Amino acid sequence: MKYKSVFISDIHLGTKMSQADRLLDFFKTFECDNLYLVGDIVDGWSMNSGVYWPQSHNDVIQKILRKARKGTKVVYIPGNHDEFLRAFCDITLGNLILTKQYIHTAADGKKYLIMHGDEFDAVVTNMKWLSRFGSWAYDLSIYINVIITSIRNRFNLSHWSLSAWLKYKVKKAVNFISDYEENLSNYATFNNVNGIICGHIHHPNLRQIGKITYVNCGDWVETCSAVVENQDGSMEIIYWK
């Protein structure tokens, strides 16, 4: 496939939950003019307690750099888990751009503000200790989910996600997602753009909120999703299963 742009977020390289092998499979299927890395590509929080870096994680980095060498514009927007890179923002190295936010003009002329989105998560910005605890609890739910999936596969049962079930069943989580999407859409309106593309909450979505097109890339821990811009400027979510 030849896409105009591809948007990927929340790979969390450096953790055992990262689906790096699936991402590498996805990389083999497309070429693009622009590749946007929308935060939490590398998980610095996890590596503070010990380095986990298998060859597949190294291959992801090499694949991204190879695309940049071959002419793809790669824009890296750090998130809260790779916030250590924000100190180096606003630099350009060949086709690689490191920045906190970026405005992308799609093929149909629409302008999209691209940011990770943790700036609109009050827990991340005001209570980092609680955010880190929440990250640990989420990781634990993923580990448990691996065991559940193994058992369900043994009995030929369909896929079921514990973390996704918790996220959609807990009323406060549902309200948080809704508020998050509304707040980012309001921020897009304030910046006089047509849409906003983000990540952070591991919840892929593409919907219209008033005049703003809200787009969330999802993640490569659980949903294995990406957003692509077709040659006509239209956006769609790709789920890589």
Side-chain angles (χ1 to χ4, degrees):
M1 296 295 295
K2 175 66 175 178
Y3 297 118
K4 187 71 176 176
S5 306
V6 175
F7 307 83
I8 295 171
S9 75
D10 296 88
I11 307 174
H12 291 275
L13 296 174
T15 70
K16 294 182 179 180
M17 291 80 67
S18 177
Q19 301 281 343
D21 289 328
R22 290 190 179 185
L23 180 58
L24 288 169
D25 287 340
F26 175 59
F27 272 145
K28 295 174 185 176
T29 66
F30 72 87
E31 296 293 337
C32 60
D33 297 330
N34 309 296
L35 175 61
Y36 291 95
L37 306 173
V38 194
D40 287 359
I41 306 305
V42 176
D43 197 317
W45 290 9
S46 176
M47 288 191 287
N48 283 336
S49 58
V51 177
Y52 173 79
W53 197 265
Q55 183 60 44
S56 60
H57 294 202
N58 209 46
D59 292 343
V60 169
I61 299 298
Q62 290 179 345
K63 180 70 73 173
I64 292 169
L65 294 176
R66 189 176 298 120
K67 286 185 177 294
R69 287 197 302 270
K70 290 185 176 181
T72 297
K73 182 176 73 175
V74 178
V75 180
Y76 190 154
I77 300 168
N80 53 304
H81 282 259
D82 46 13
E83 61 186 350
F84 62 91
L85 291 173
R86 286 175 171 167
F88 306 99
C89 277
D90 300 321
I91 64 170
T92 301
L93 301 171
N95 287 326
L96 179 61
I97 300 171
L98 187 65
T99 183
K100 292 181 180 178
Q101 296 182 4
Y102 196 87
I103 293 181
H104 168 73
T105 302
D108 57 5
K110 293 182 179 179
K111 292 185 181 298
Y112 292 85
L113 175 63
I114 308 172
M115 59 189 298
H116 181 61
D118 61 294
E119 300 91 336
F120 288 85
D121 186 340
V123 173
V124 170
T125 55
N126 299 320
M127 294 179 287
K128 288 198 173 184
W129 68 269
L130 184 57
S131 177
R132 289 176 183 269
F133 175 77
S135 178
W136 173 84
Y138 177 77
D139 292 348
L140 178 61
S141 72
I142 295 294
Y143 280 126
I144 296 173
N145 202 70
V146 169
I147 298 172
I148 294 174
T149 298
S150 177
I151 295 172
R152 291 179 69 87
N153 287 342
R154 189 169 300 176
F155 292 96
N156 294 321
L157 297 174
S158 61
H159 176 72
W160 182 81
S161 170
L162 172 64
S163 54
W165 181 84
L166 290 172
K167 186 160 54 178
Y168 293 122
K169 288 296 183 181
V170 177
K171 184 178 180 180
K172 286 187 177 180
V174 174
N175 290 339
F176 168 78
I177 291 172
S178 177
D179 291 344
Y180 178 85
E181 295 176 347
E182 294 282 349
N183 289 337
L184 263 76
S185 297
N186 290 336
Y187 186 65
T189 301
F190 176 78
N191 282 275
N192 198 31
V193 293
N194 305 107
I196 190 159
I197 301 174
C198 60
H200 184 56
I201 60 173
H202 296 202
H203 181 65
N205 201 4
L206 172 59
R207 71 184 183 106
Q208 201 70 20
I209 302 177
K211 295 182 179 180
I212 299 298
T213 302
Y214 169 86
V215 187
N216 195 299
C217 306
D219 64 278
W220 287 85
V221 171
E222 187 175 6
T223 60
C224 294
S225 60
V227 171
V228 299
E229 177 196 355
N230 297 306
Q231 295 298 330
D232 61 358
S234 62
M235 300 285 180
E236 66 173 297
I237 299 175
I238 301 292
Y239 293 94
W240 192 255
K241 298 297 183 182

